[in-house]
Amino acid sequence: MSDSNETSDSAEFRKSLEDIAFNFRSNVDIKDRKYRLKTYKQCFVGSEGVDYLLETGHAQTREDAVMLGRSLAHEFHLFEHVTRDHEFADDYKFYRFVDASERGTLTMDEKIGKYVRWSDFLAPVASGEALQPAFAAKSENLELIESKDQHVIGQVWPLDKYNTQLLDNVHPPSWQDPKAHNEKDGTYSYDMVVVGGGTGGLITAAGSAGVGARVAMIEEHMLGGDCLNVGCVPSKALIHSANLAHTLRGDMEHLADAGISLDPSAVKVDFEKAMERVRRIRAGISHHDSAERYSKELGVQIFLGRGKFTSERTVEVNGKTLTFKRAVIATGGYPNLLPIEGLKSLHDKATAIDSGEPRPIVMTNETIFNLTKRPQNMLVIGAGVIGMELAQAMQRLGSKVKVMGRSGRVLPKEDADLAQVVKDQMIKDGVEFRLDVSEYLRIEMTGEVLDNGYPEMKLAVMEKGNDEVVEFKFDALLLAAGRRPNVTGMDLEAAKVDYDVKKGLLVSDKLQTTNPRIFGVGDCCSEFKFTHAADFMARAVIRNALFLGKEKMSNLLIPYATFTSPEIASVGLYESDLKKKGMEFRVFEKHFKDNDRAICDGKTAGMVRFRVDAKSDRILGASIVGEGAGNMISEVTLAMQSDTGMTALAAVIHPYPTTAEAVRQSGDLYSKTRLTTTVKSLLRGIISLQR
Ligand SMILES: Cc1cc2nc3c(=O)[nH]c(=O)nc-3n(C[C@H](O)[C@H](O)[C@H](O)COP(=O)(O)OP(=O)(O)OC[C@H]3O[C@@H](n4cnc5c(N)ncnc54)[C@H](O)[C@@H]3O)c2cc1C
């Protein structure tokens, strides 16, 4: 058959499908139906749809009718199950017709001879249930001592040319609200309103506008959110300077071993310059998230102000009411202040920019990147990801750092022995750990002012196994004791969106809140508080909110990395998760002390650890600690996401010598376990036959 015949046949087939679709909708019995005390509005019953297709002769058997019904549902997105949990079936299940406005206009793509809609251009986010670890919200103390309404947002400081450039991009001082859609009555109406302009909000807004929706984004502080302004970007820029300083000054043993001699006193850390570099780098990339780019290039209307819900379909900002068909809340989180006597007042004093006297340096991640002078003795409360990364960086830049915690260990999410590798290196760097605090009693200023101009403070604590109060003096305090979701101060009650002040928005697996029009994205509703998690949640939500998609949070396989030196990264389930789930598994490890590249580089601390199903080669989880772990974990994530097992990994050729070879070598370790005595003697037999 020629191509042109095929095209005309398929066009005819499509035409007849279109006719059936049209008649189907007009002839099945659509009405409100009840099931288990719940009423489903205007729907039809699956088996009645099958009856209709048989009676009209469109299908010869009930099986054919089901196939035909599914084609109508998939090809035209004509109808769907009322809770989107089932395919079309010959059953007492309810289906509702989908309005054109909900699914996007269908357009014939002549090239492929198929009807397409907006959602077809969005890459699917993920499929199949992912192996996600149970992330208990680990925090020093989750007592709520302030809510978002009282929280003083850290200001950007100093106002040099870099921070001015940053603000011009992410919070332009003279920004004007967009004009009302209906200038007569001053009303605004949108397909999508996004509250919060961090990673989650930015991706949601850009993606929604990109597929044709009318979108507004509301940001009360700085576009780019935590990641750009007070999170990933400045912390990684700071870590870069710290690691350079460490290689040149702190790691003399390593340099000497490599045949390089350097007078330690010749290496000077100019802390002011290092911080200026942080500000320059942040400002330099801030145009990606700028108000100008989002409004002019991406077609998103930007409002700079706090968003507050006024009803289930409206949100207010700067005195204007925006009506939405769908809304996404992506309001992120903020650092947890501990209920230590004296802390809140010192923190608020430290955050007030205009005070003339020497101010106490009590910081969170919102203010640490404002530092210009190096603290001498810095106390870090919290031994999680943020505390550990910044403690090591500040120590390597010349402060004397002490890390305090209550859990007896560092990086509580990670396997204890792997986290210990990081802690050992930090001890070598000079960081001191006090991880057995039983109670933080009070914090106050001593009245002394140090050479760097910072006033001295002291913290009194009780430690486990010691009846006496212990006091520590310091000139800077970093609070890295957990984070809280931003869910207060925006009148979620008016929108009928339920939340928990500790866990955040209560969302379904499809990220829908208790108001079906409103979805949640990112740190405000997830235990996976990472930029890449917020990014992929946003992608899922665009499909779910605008195209009746079925993307599920539980399908996202989310890796994570801590950028200490050495780095530590994990994906999938930990040993503790596997034990809790009663899953049998085996562990395969390849240590970097046996990896040629790591030996050549003199960086032999760490290992690759795989957790593998006991009865197959399926990877259930993996952790890597060592240089470059954050990059290496992606190969394992790809393997897990594509169901590539240990056998296939063993067959992937890796360039020699690389640390990534440890991944393949772990595959080899697995393959060796398959060489049982019986298999070995069988192989010996085959070889002997060849003589
Ligand atoms: C020091 C530090 C280092 C980090 N490093 C990494 C890293 O290396 N890799 C990584 O993956 N993750 C890292 N993270 C985590 C990452 O920054 C967050 O997971 C990510 O920013 C979450 O994005 P989000 O959109 O959910 O929230 P956010 O980025 O917090 O954005 C929320 C936005 O909503 C705004 N907002 C809140 N309420 C309202 C309201 N009512 N009206 C209007 N606007 C509102 C806020 O001002 C904010 O801009 C780090 C975090 C910190 C603190």
Side-chain angles (χ1 to χ4, degrees):
M1 202 195 280
S2 75
D3 280 358
S4 62
N5 275 346
E6 261 179 38
T7 316
S8 72
D9 278 0
S10 67
E12 221 167 89
F13 173 66
R14 186 153 297 283
K15 177 80 187 64
S16 57
L17 261 188
E18 267 174 48
D19 291 343
I20 298 171
F22 180 79
N23 290 326
F24 189 79
R25 184 170 189 147
S26 326
N27 286 291
V28 286
D29 187 15
I30 303 168
K31 60 182 183 194
D32 290 358
R33 294 169 195 269
K34 270 203 169 145
Y35 184 68
R36 290 198 178 149
L37 302 176
K38 197 165 172 188
T39 305
Y40 296 91
K41 294 219 174 287
Q42 298 299 294
C43 49
F44 69 92
V45 174
S47 54
E48 289 178 11
V50 169
D51 291 343
Y52 166 77
L53 292 171
L54 280 172
E55 279 158 19
T56 49
H58 292 314
Q60 305 306 314
T61 64
R62 297 194 81 81
E63 286 76 25
D64 283 354
V66 169
M67 299 270 281
L68 180 55
R70 287 184 183 179
S71 296
L72 296 176
H74 292 173
E75 289 288 313
F76 298 97
H77 203 167
L78 185 68
F79 56 81
E80 62 174 13
H81 181 252
V82 282
T83 55
R84 295 194 215 157
D85 286 324
H86 298 282
E87 290 263 38
F88 179 64
D90 183 9
D91 219 338
Y92 190 68
K93 292 198 167 73
F94 302 157
Y95 300 84
R96 67 175 197 102
F97 285 96
V98 178
D99 284 345
S101 64
E102 284 180 274
R103 69 171 174 238
T105 323
L106 284 168
T107 318
M108 172 61 96
D109 183 333
E110 298 296 346
K111 266 198 218 140
I112 56 170
K114 259 187 118 176
Y115 278 89
V116 289
R117 56 186 164 259
W118 297 340
S119 49
D120 295 330
F121 297 99
L122 299 172
V125 177
S127 61
E129 184 141 341
L131 296 165
Q132 290 179 350
F135 264 11
K138 293 260 168 35
S139 173
E140 282 296 304
N141 187 332
L142 281 174
E143 257 173 66
L144 185 65
I145 67 158
E146 59 164 13
S147 74
K148 176 70 187 163
D149 317 50
Q150 300 140 13
H151 179 68
V152 182
I153 300 178
Q155 303 296 312
V156 178
W157 193 257
L159 281 181
D160 62 355
K161 63 177 175 180
Y162 301 121
N163 276 345
T164 307
Q165 182 190 352
L166 173 74
L167 288 171
D168 283 347
N169 280 330
V170 300
H171 194 127
S174 52
W175 190 256
Q176 302 278 323
D177 285 343
K179 286 210 172 80
H181 296 133
N182 184 338
E183 287 197 38
K184 269 194 209 139
D185 61 6
T187 53
Y188 294 82
S189 57
Y190 295 95
D191 297 315
M192 168 73 86
V193 168
V194 181
V195 185
T199 307
L202 290 166
I203 303 280
T204 310
S208 304
V211 293
R214 187 143 74 161
V215 183
M217 179 162 60
I218 305 174
E219 168 55 51
E220 70 169 327
H221 190 38
M222 291 161 79
L223 291 164
D226 275 6
C227 182
L228 171 69
N229 300 299
V230 291
C232 331
V233 172
S235 63
K236 268 74 243 178
L238 190 71
I239 286 170
H240 175 72
S241 291
N243 289 351
L244 275 182
H246 171 73
T247 308
L248 292 174
R249 195 194 54 189
D251 206 1
M252 283 299 152
E253 211 181 293
H254 180 52
L255 283 180
D257 181 52
I260 297 163
S261 63
L262 198 68
D263 175 2
S265 64
V267 183
K268 297 211 162 45
V269 173
D270 183 339
F271 187 76
E272 270 188 59
K273 203 93 185 111
M275 293 310 290
E276 186 184 283
R277 178 178 179 274
V278 168
R279 298 195 295 276
R280 174 165 52 80
I281 285 180
R282 178 171 65 179
I285 57 179
S286 61
H287 64 92
H288 293 301
D289 298 349
S290 72
E292 172 126 346
R293 174 168 178 254
Y294 266 73
S295 61
K296 291 209 176 125
E297 288 176 34
L298 303 177
V300 176
Q301 300 210 328
I302 305 286
F303 292 82
L304 295 179
R306 179 177 286 200
K308 285 188 179 195
F309 287 89
T310 43
S311 78
E312 285 159 77
R313 297 196 57 170
T314 51
V315 62
E316 192 185 88
V317 55
N318 302 336
K320 299 170 175 95
T321 298
L322 320 187
T323 307
F324 55 81
K325 285 189 191 152
R326 298 283 180 272
V328 167
I329 300 172
T331 46
Y334 61 102
N336 189 32
L337 287 192
L338 297 176
I340 306 174
E341 188 189 323
L343 177 67
K344 174 94 172 90
S345 74
L346 283 185
H347 173 258
D348 290 351
K349 216 185 242 182
T351 318
I353 284 258
D354 52 3
S355 127
E357 325 142 20
R359 279 181 294 125
I361 306 302
V362 176
M363 305 171 291
T364 64
N365 71 289
E366 291 183 346
T367 42
I368 188 170
F369 303 109
N370 291 350
L371 277 179
T372 50
K373 275 180 283 176
R374 177 176 42 215
Q376 285 175 17
N377 293 306
M378 186 164 154
L379 205 63
V380 175
I381 298 188
V385 176
I386 296 171
M388 292 288 276
E389 283 186 2
L390 292 173
Q392 189 179 41
M394 292 302 290
Q395 175 75 32
R396 288 184 168 192
L397 288 170
S399 294
K400 178 82 200 74
V401 180
K402 200 177 267 109
V403 176
M404 292 192 140
R406 290 149 71 109
S407 68
R409 54 163 298 188
V410 301
L411 299 171
K413 274 197 320 259
E414 303 293 346
D415 286 355
D417 59 333
L418 301 191
Q420 185 67 35
V421 176
V422 176
K423 185 179 166 199
D424 287 347
Q425 177 57 50
M426 285 174 65
I427 291 172
K428 249 180 146 181
D429 291 350
V431 175
E432 201 187 312
F433 288 91
R434 308 291 292 226
L435 301 171
D436 285 320
V437 174
S438 55
E439 204 179 344
Y440 297 98
L441 297 172
R442 70 194 154 269
I443 173 170
E444 59 200 331
M445 288 164 89
T446 64
E448 297 287 319
V449 176
L450 304 186
D451 294 346
N452 57 11
Y454 289 157
E456 195 181 51
M457 290 170 276
K458 62 179 181 185
L459 171 69
V461 303
M462 294 295 290
E463 291 180 305
K464 289 170 201 158
N466 181 2
D467 291 341
E468 286 173 21
V469 173
V470 190
E471 280 191 351
F472 298 97
K473 289 189 178 164
F474 53 93
D475 56 333
L477 173 66
L478 172 68
L479 284 161
R483 297 182 56 77
R484 301 199 152 278
N486 247 338
V487 285
T488 55
M490 57 178 139
D491 297 343
L492 288 175
E493 294 75 8
K496 299 212 164 51
V497 170
D498 289 352
Y499 63 91
D500 176 294
V501 285
K502 291 180 186 171
K503 291 187 192 144
L505 301 179
L506 303 182
V507 289
S508 69
D509 201 15
K510 290 177 193 147
L511 297 169
Q512 200 164 29
T513 68
T514 41
N515 175 340
R517 293 178 181 281
I518 303 181
F519 292 73
V521 159
D523 285 9
C524 65
C525 60
S526 162
E527 16 180 34
F528 294 89
K529 299 193 190 308
F530 311 108
T531 292
H532 46 277
D535 178 338
F536 273 76
M537 287 168 83
R539 289 162 199 254
V541 155
I542 295 168
R543 293 180 77 91
N544 292 354
L546 295 178
F547 303 111
L548 303 166
K550 296 174 188 164
E551 303 291 348
K552 291 183 182 162
M553 180 68 194
S554 54
N555 289 349
L556 301 181
L557 180 65
I558 303 171
Y560 26 88
T562 302
F563 297 96
T564 41
S565 166
E567 293 175 358
I568 182 163
S570 293
V571 63
L573 301 178
Y574 287 102
E575 195 169 319
S576 52
D577 301 303
L578 292 164
K579 283 184 177 155
K580 242 181 250 158
K581 286 176 187 273
M583 291 167 82
E584 286 181 33
F585 65 99
R586 287 177 294 170
V587 172
F588 296 92
E589 285 175 359
K590 193 74 195 168
H591 291 245
F592 288 126
K593 66 179 167 46
D594 302 321
N595 174 280
D596 289 359
R597 182 53 186 267
I599 294 169
C600 292
D601 289 348
K603 307 245 158 124
T604 50
M607 68 175 83
V608 173
R609 173 177 290 163
F610 280 91
R611 294 173 275 272
V612 179
D613 178 42
K615 296 204 176 79
S616 71
D617 72 343
R618 185 176 177 224
I619 304 165
L620 303 173
S623 298
I624 304 176
V625 60
E627 293 303 316
N631 275 329
M632 279 170 71
I633 202 71
S634 295
E635 182 181 1
V636 185
T637 311
L638 176 64
M640 287 181 71
Q641 193 151 318
S642 57
D643 272 333
T644 301
M646 295 298 276
T647 319
L649 268 190
V652 176
I653 303 177
H654 288 66
Y656 174 86
T658 51
T659 44
E661 271 190 301
V663 170
R664 179 189 59 71
Q665 289 161 343
S666 304
D668 283 343
L669 289 177
Y670 168 81
S671 300
K672 272 190 201 143
T673 61
R674 295 167 64 213
L675 277 180
T676 56
T677 337
T678 328
V679 176
K680 266 190 204 155
S681 64
L682 211 79
L683 290 177
R684 230 177 277 128
I686 294 172
I687 292 166
S688 67
L689 280 179
Q690 292 172 352
R691 281 190 193 126

